[in-house]
Amino acid sequence: MNRLGLPALLDPLATDVVGLTRALVDVPSESGAEEALADIVEAALRPLGHLVVERVGNSVVARTDLGRDERVIIAGHLDTVPAADNLPARQADDRLYGLGACDMKGGVAVALRLAATVTAPVRDITYVLYECEEIEGDRNGLHTIAGCRPELLEADLAILMEPSDAGVEAGCQGVLTADITVRGERAHTARAWRGVNAAHRAAPVLQRLADHTPERVVIDGLEYREGLNAVAVRAGVAGNVVPDTCVITVNSRFAPNRSAEEAEAYVRGLFPEREYEVDVTEVVPGALPGLGQQAVASLVRVLGAEPRPKLGWTDVARFASLGTPALNYGPGDPVLAHAAGEYVPLAQLRECEERLRNWLTP
């Protein structure tokens, strides 16, 4: 045990980023059950004299307060998806395997190492290690902090330690989900001519989706590829009944230059009200890449990585909604996130820590 009463591996001053990642993986923290890990993180950070540490639910916020001209947020979520027989962590072939190794305890370990060892950064830093990212948005730790302590999320730039293969993924797509309902008339299948089959009437909706050509939108030199897809088709109440209702759930991924209102108008334009019932059940805007912002450009130069567009939605959009440019930068391949065999390359853990340290120190 160390001076904090914690296993030595969980003290960021006592181990390297690989050992710290392994220790973090071995503390279960599925969404909604992050308290034990949040306790450990809080206890590890509170004795560090250069940080002001606060607890909001099961999220931990630690800040320097040096009066620098810029402030950067380094954020990572503590929770994981449910386990899939992938605990405890194991190391093999220069990789660390285990639940959350990729998404995103490797990124959290990088943040903790920086918090512990970068005591006089050239930019003030706010470390936000938060709960409930992997589940419904109203439980997300960033959402909670923004609601009760929005000043803690004020910064010139936010770095989200989401897995990005140690490259810069800027901005993110928005997402819209809608149900398109087609009506018919129920009848017994032995007398089908007495009814109108709603599933058959839905064929033009599926054809329109199949014929749709998604747009490719270039922003700050990055190409965001949009998408519009049927992800579920529901009809029928029994095997001998002509269905009177067919509901097609559509998922749209739209470029961050579209607002939520514009994205909704676009989908409704494809399925006009005079023909279809369209119920938009969710629409969340994306985040512009902001590569022209001074803090963003400075970081990209130091990282030496060619920025890529983020194809998907991440919490960079939450920061963008607060007026803070944000990007994704962390160890691990995003394709492996949530996979039973997820892993993080050891070299990427060390690389991310070193590059961020170089950017934050004189």
Side-chain angles (χ1 to χ4, degrees):
M1 304 292 280
N2 63 17
R3 58 186 171 78
L4 300 176
L6 302 172
L9 280 179
L10 291 177
D11 184 345
L13 297 176
T15 185
D16 67 3
V17 70
V18 174
L20 182 56
T21 301
R22 183 167 191 158
L24 292 173
V25 169
D26 285 345
V27 180
S29 59
E30 293 181 14
S31 300
E34 301 94 336
E35 184 175 5
L37 183 55
D39 288 346
I40 290 169
V41 169
E42 180 184 9
L45 294 179
R46 280 206 180 274
L48 303 178
H50 61 284
L51 295 174
V52 178
V53 179
E54 300 190 47
R55 179 81 171 253
V56 180
N58 286 325
S59 300
V60 181
V61 181
R63 296 170 291 147
T64 65
D65 191 12
L66 302 172
R68 304 302 196 213
D69 292 335
E70 290 182 345
R71 177 172 291 276
V72 59
I73 290 173
I74 298 178
H77 61 82
L78 298 174
D79 62 322
T80 69
V81 297
D85 196 26
N86 50 356
L87 284 174
R90 62 182 179 87
Q91 189 172 324
D93 300 325
D94 297 320
R95 299 170 175 175
L96 182 68
Y97 292 82
L99 177 62
C102 172
D103 188 17
M104 58 179 293
K105 290 186 175 180
V108 170
V110 170
L112 286 173
R113 283 286 299 161
L114 296 171
T117 59
V118 179
T119 59
V122 296
R123 299 166 174 83
D124 271 314
I125 310 171
T126 301
Y127 299 94
V128 184
L129 304 165
Y130 61 101
E131 62 181 324
C132 291
E133 189 270 349
E134 300 287 8
I135 52 177
E136 55 268 28
D138 60 357
R139 295 178 62 187
N140 184 293
L142 291 179
H143 174 78
T144 302
I145 295 169
C148 66
R149 297 291 306 281
E151 71 279 7
L152 295 179
L153 300 182
E154 294 176 357
D156 298 285
L157 169 66
I159 302 169
L160 199 64
M161 301 296 297
E162 286 283 357
S164 64
D165 252 350
V168 172
E169 292 189 334
C172 73
Q173 295 169 303
V175 59
L176 177 148
T177 305
D179 286 337
I180 301 173
T181 301
V182 178
R183 303 289 179 183
E185 186 176 345
R186 191 178 297 191
H188 196 295
T189 53
R191 294 173 292 277
W193 63 89
R194 292 182 176 273
V196 178
N197 193 312
H200 296 175
R201 295 187 70 192
V205 175
L206 296 172
Q207 191 62 55
R208 191 168 299 183
L209 290 168
D211 292 341
H212 179 261
T213 301
E215 294 190 28
R216 298 187 177 193
V217 181
V218 178
I219 307 170
D220 287 354
L222 306 181
E223 183 181 77
Y224 292 87
R225 298 184 62 170
E226 297 191 324
L228 186 65
N229 290 278
V231 294
V233 180
R234 304 180 298 281
V237 296
N240 59 353
V241 178
V242 172
D244 59 347
T245 302
C246 182
V247 180
I248 300 169
T249 298
V250 173
N251 178 274
S252 169
R253 298 295 174 135
F254 55 94
N257 63 331
R258 292 188 198 265
S259 66
E261 294 76 16
E262 289 169 335
E264 181 172 345
Y266 181 78
V267 172
R268 290 189 182 278
L270 290 173
F271 301 99
E273 185 177 341
R274 65 182 181 274
E275 299 178 51
Y276 302 103
E277 297 175 32
V278 178
D279 177 25
V280 174
T281 57
E282 179 187 41
V283 57
V284 184
L288 292 166
L291 295 179
Q293 299 278 347
Q294 179 179 342
V296 178
S298 169
L299 176 59
V300 170
R301 283 196 301 271
V302 170
L303 295 180
E306 187 70 25
R308 304 187 301 267
K310 179 62 180 180
L311 302 180
W313 191 94
T314 72
D315 275 326
V316 297
R318 293 188 187 276
F319 287 110
S321 71
L322 299 172
T324 301
L327 51 79
N328 303 280
Y329 176 71
D333 184 344
V335 173
L336 297 174
H338 304 179
E342 70 175 295
Y343 65 84
V344 62
L346 307 188
Q348 288 190 5
L349 291 170
R350 299 184 178 109
E351 177 184 339
C352 288
E353 180 187 357
E354 180 182 4
R355 288 185 172 181
L356 286 175
R357 187 185 306 280
N358 289 341
W359 183 63
L360 293 167
T361 55

